[in-house]
Amino acid sequence: VDESELLTVPDGWKEPAFTREDNPKGLLEESSFATLFPKYREAYLRECWPLVQKALGEHFVNATLDLIEGSMTVTTTKKTFDPYAIIRARDLIKLLARSVPFEQVFRILQDDIACDIIKIGSLVRKRDTFIKRRGRLLGPKGSTLKALELLTNCYIMVQGNTVSALGPFSGLKEVRKVVLDTMKNIHPIYNIKTLMIKRELSKDPELRSQSWERFLPKFKRKNLKKRKEPKKKNTKKEYTPFPPPQPESQIDKELASGEYFLKERQKKRKQVQEIKAKQADAVKRRQEERNKAFIPPKEKTVVKTKKASTEKKIDIEAIKEKVKNAKKKKLGALPEEEVKLKMAADEKKKKKK
């Protein structure tokens, strides 16, 4: 037998169910699991509890509902032969506490169905951001969640800080990936597109053994918001180990200009001269600004427009020919040649008669 045939699972193969013949002596010890439920689930659980007891009774597992403590408990009995039945019963009461309806919960008792409770409350810090990203999982009118359910063949329930999923193992793996990516700010539509392509590729028997990476889309992140560059950029100066030179003091400046050696009277006189010079400049500047109003504006030079030459060159010879032709023709009468022709035609007609 080829190794490839041993590794592949034939289509439609199912693992045989676990029967009493596989474990005729039953279990040695009693196992039990308990879980708490919120107050708002009490009314629903009281209604559907007989159905829960009936479903678990088929697998010889007892279920008790304690309304005072607000807890549900499942325990094995002497007749219980399936050791994994108590684990399924534990998942069943967990899902009931997470607001999953009983119509979906009882499917957990099947062999090929499992459940996954994904905790999303601690994945995002801000509450507003968490509510937005959780809303993306649902989509407009629950359309995103419905599409995810159809592609993964799982029932998904988004409630509070958890996401409860119920379905086959392969579907649960995809659901967990989509939920965690959504909480990491990756929109679920990208994962849904990938799942749709995978679903179509799985139908082709030739592509099952090949890699699907070339068919799957690769989405690149785009940073739409770019930081605005400031108008004034502060450029850092090159680092030098030497300190900056010491600034000159007032005495150093006076020594350099020679002012230090002047007497007090001379210093005052120099200051007064500087002030007067500044005042004179200010007066001159102010006077120039006032005189600007009296300066006449420059007149625009008038440009004489050249008259279009109306006189046109007259062709004298052409006029002469026109006059000659006009003389030949009498007003209202035919030309001489046409008259002669007409008269000749009339004579011929008379002769014939």
Side-chain angles (χ1 to χ4, degrees):
V1 181
D2 295 335
E3 288 183 4
S4 59
E5 290 180 11
L6 291 171
L7 293 170
T8 54
V9 178
D11 294 334
W13 182 85
K14 263 191 175 185
E15 195 176 344
F18 193 87
T19 58
R20 186 173 284 280
E21 293 173 4
D22 297 320
N23 187 15
K25 293 181 180 181
L27 305 175
L28 295 172
E29 294 291 332
E30 185 183 284
S31 302
S32 65
F33 290 100
T35 186
L36 298 170
F37 60 86
K39 186 72 176 174
Y40 63 84
R41 289 291 288 168
E42 187 180 320
Y44 181 78
L45 290 172
R46 199 185 293 172
E47 285 179 13
C48 71
W49 198 250
L51 297 169
V52 174
Q53 285 179 326
K54 187 182 177 183
L56 292 174
E58 292 175 4
H59 295 269
F60 305 103
V61 177
N62 286 337
T64 54
L65 178 68
D66 193 347
L67 297 172
I68 296 162
E69 290 183 4
S71 66
M72 293 178 281
T73 313
V74 286
T75 53
T76 56
T77 60
K78 289 179 180 179
K79 290 182 180 180
T80 309
F81 62 89
D82 188 358
Y84 201 72
I86 189 67
I87 303 297
R88 292 203 183 102
R90 179 202 64 184
D91 292 341
L92 185 141
I93 59 173
K94 269 189 181 180
L95 291 168
L96 282 171
R98 300 280 176 189
S99 300
V100 181
F102 178 75
E103 289 79 8
Q104 295 290 337
V105 167
F106 82 95
R107 290 168 58 210
I108 197 69
L109 300 172
Q110 299 171 17
D111 287 338
D112 56 342
I113 300 293
C115 75
D116 190 8
I117 295 166
I118 307 155
K119 292 178 182 178
I120 57 173
S122 60
L123 296 175
V124 184
R125 287 183 182 179
K126 291 183 181 178
R127 185 70 184 167
D128 296 340
T129 312
F130 168 74
I131 290 163
K132 276 183 185 177
R133 290 181 188 176
R134 187 181 63 182
R136 281 182 199 168
L137 274 173
L138 298 168
K141 297 180 182 178
S143 58
T144 308
L145 195 70
K146 190 68 182 172
L148 201 60
E149 285 180 350
L150 291 168
L151 289 166
T152 56
N153 297 323
C154 293
Y155 175 81
I156 305 164
M157 182 74 185
V158 182
Q159 177 74 13
N161 294 333
T162 57
V163 177
S164 306
L166 183 77
F169 293 98
S170 58
L172 291 174
K173 188 180 175 183
E174 297 291 345
V175 169
R176 177 171 274 275
K177 185 182 179 296
V178 173
V179 170
L180 294 176
D181 282 353
T182 306
M183 289 295 121
K184 289 174 187 174
N185 202 21
I186 298 167
H187 204 279
I189 196 70
Y190 298 123
N191 286 311
I192 286 168
K193 276 186 178 180
T194 308
L195 288 171
M196 287 170 75
I197 293 163
K198 282 182 179 178
R199 195 176 190 181
E200 291 298 318
L201 291 170
S202 63
K203 292 175 183 178
D204 193 347
E206 292 179 3
L207 293 170
R208 282 186 185 178
S209 58
Q210 295 178 15
S211 177
W212 292 350
E213 285 184 8
R214 56 196 172 125
F215 300 109
L216 300 177
K218 292 174 184 177
F219 301 105
K220 292 180 181 178
R221 287 189 177 184
K222 290 181 181 178
N223 296 328
L224 297 175
K225 290 182 180 179
K226 291 183 178 179
R227 182 177 170 273
K228 290 181 180 178
E229 293 183 359
K231 289 181 180 178
K232 293 180 181 178
K233 290 183 179 180
N234 296 327
T235 54
K236 288 185 177 180
K237 294 176 182 177
E238 290 182 6
Y239 172 74
T240 52
F242 306 105
Q246 194 173 357
E248 289 184 347
S249 64
Q250 191 67 26
I251 295 165
D252 293 336
K253 288 176 182 177
E254 287 178 358
L255 284 166
S257 62
E259 198 177 335
Y260 182 79
F261 304 103
L262 295 173
K263 291 179 182 178
E264 196 70 31
R265 197 186 300 165
Q266 289 173 330
K267 284 181 182 179
K268 283 183 180 178
R269 196 186 301 156
K270 192 178 180 183
Q271 285 176 358
V272 169
Q273 285 175 358
E274 286 175 358
I275 290 164
K276 282 182 178 179
K278 282 182 181 178
Q279 284 176 351
D281 287 340
V283 169
K284 191 180 179 183
R285 209 181 301 118
R286 209 179 298 120
Q287 194 66 36
E288 284 176 358
E289 285 179 2
R290 284 176 184 172
N291 292 336
K292 279 180 183 177
F294 300 103
I295 297 166
K298 288 182 179 180
E299 291 183 2
K300 291 179 181 178
T301 54
V302 180
V303 181
K304 290 182 179 180
T305 54
K306 291 180 180 179
K307 290 181 180 179
S309 59
T310 52
E311 294 177 3
K312 293 180 181 178
K313 291 180 180 178
I314 299 164
D315 195 355
I316 297 165
E317 291 179 0
I319 293 165
K320 282 181 179 179
E321 285 180 4
K322 283 182 181 179
V323 170
K324 282 180 182 178
N325 292 333
K327 281 181 179 178
K328 287 179 183 178
K329 292 179 183 179
K330 291 180 182 179
L331 292 170
L334 291 168
E336 290 178 8
E337 292 175 359
E338 289 183 8
V339 172
K340 286 178 183 179
L341 289 169
K342 263 194 173 185
M343 287 174 71
D346 291 337
E347 284 175 5
K348 282 180 182 179
K349 285 180 180 177
K350 284 178 183 178
K351 285 177 181 179
K352 283 180 180 178
K353 286 178 180 181

